[in-house]
Amino acid sequence: MHALVYRLSLAHRRLEKEISREMQKAVPDDARLSKLKKLRLAIKDQLQGFLPRPTTH
Protein backbone atom coordinates (compact mmCIF):
# COMPACT_ATOMS: atom_id res chain seq x y z
CA MET A 1 0.00 0.00 0.00
CA HIS A 2 2.90 2.38 0.67
CA ALA A 3 4.05 1.98 -2.93
CA LEU A 4 0.61 3.07 -4.15
CA VAL A 5 0.62 6.14 -1.90
CA TYR A 6 4.11 6.97 -3.13
CA ARG A 7 3.08 6.67 -6.80
CA LEU A 8 -0.03 8.76 -6.21
CA SER A 9 2.07 11.41 -4.47
CA LEU A 10 4.48 11.51 -7.40
CA ALA A 11 1.61 11.82 -9.86
CA HIS A 12 0.08 14.63 -7.78
CA ARG A 13 3.40 16.48 -7.70
CA ARG A 14 3.85 16.03 -11.48
CA LEU A 15 0.37 17.43 -12.10
CA GLU A 16 1.13 20.41 -9.85
CA LYS A 17 4.19 21.18 -11.98
CA GLU A 18 2.26 20.78 -15.25
CA ILE A 19 -0.51 23.08 -13.97
CA SER A 20 2.06 25.65 -12.92
CA ARG A 21 3.80 25.52 -16.32
CA GLU A 22 0.49 25.85 -18.15
CA MET A 23 -0.56 28.83 -16.04
CA GLN A 24 2.73 30.61 -16.77
CA LYS A 25 2.08 30.56 -20.52
CA ALA A 26 1.03 33.82 -22.16
CA VAL A 27 -2.23 32.16 -23.19
CA PRO A 28 -2.97 29.14 -20.96
CA ASP A 29 -5.07 26.36 -22.46
CA ASP A 30 -8.20 26.45 -20.28
CA ALA A 31 -9.34 22.99 -21.39
CA ARG A 32 -5.96 21.46 -20.53
CA LEU A 33 -5.88 23.26 -17.19
CA SER A 34 -9.33 21.98 -16.35
CA LYS A 35 -8.35 18.41 -17.21
CA LEU A 36 -5.12 18.62 -15.21
CA LYS A 37 -6.93 20.06 -12.19
CA LYS A 38 -9.59 17.34 -12.30
CA LEU A 39 -6.90 14.66 -12.42
CA ARG A 40 -5.06 16.31 -9.53
CA LEU A 41 -8.25 16.42 -7.47
CA ALA A 42 -9.01 12.76 -8.22
CA ILE A 43 -5.54 11.79 -7.00
CA LYS A 44 -5.92 13.97 -3.91
CA ASP A 45 -9.21 12.24 -3.13
CA GLN A 46 -7.52 8.85 -3.46
CA LEU A 47 -4.70 9.94 -1.17
CA GLN A 48 -7.21 11.20 1.42
CA GLY A 49 -8.56 7.65 1.63
CA PHE A 50 -5.21 6.47 2.96
CA LEU A 51 -4.85 9.11 5.66
CA PRO A 52 -6.08 8.40 9.19
CA ARG A 53 -9.26 10.23 10.09
CA PRO A 54 -9.03 12.72 12.97
CA THR A 55 -10.85 11.58 16.06
CA THR A 56 -13.53 13.79 17.54
CA HIS A 57 -14.31 13.84 21.24
Side-chain angles (χ1 to χ4, degrees), residues 10-55:
L10 287 179
H12 189 272
R13 193 172 314 131
R14 181 181 52 82
L15 286 167
E16 286 281 347
K17 289 178 183 178
E18 285 187 50
I19 289 167
S20 179
R21 276 194 299 267
E22 188 65 38
M23 290 176 63
Q24 291 176 0
K25 291 182 179 179
V27 181
D29 182 340
D30 289 335
R32 184 166 191 266
L33 272 174
S34 178
K35 180 181 175 183
L36 291 170
K37 288 179 178 183
K38 285 179 185 178
L39 289 170
R40 181 184 63 179
L41 181 58
I43 290 172
K44 182 180 176 183
D45 289 344
Q46 286 181 318
L47 284 168
Q48 292 288 331
F50 292 107
L51 297 176
R53 304 248 182 229
T55 56

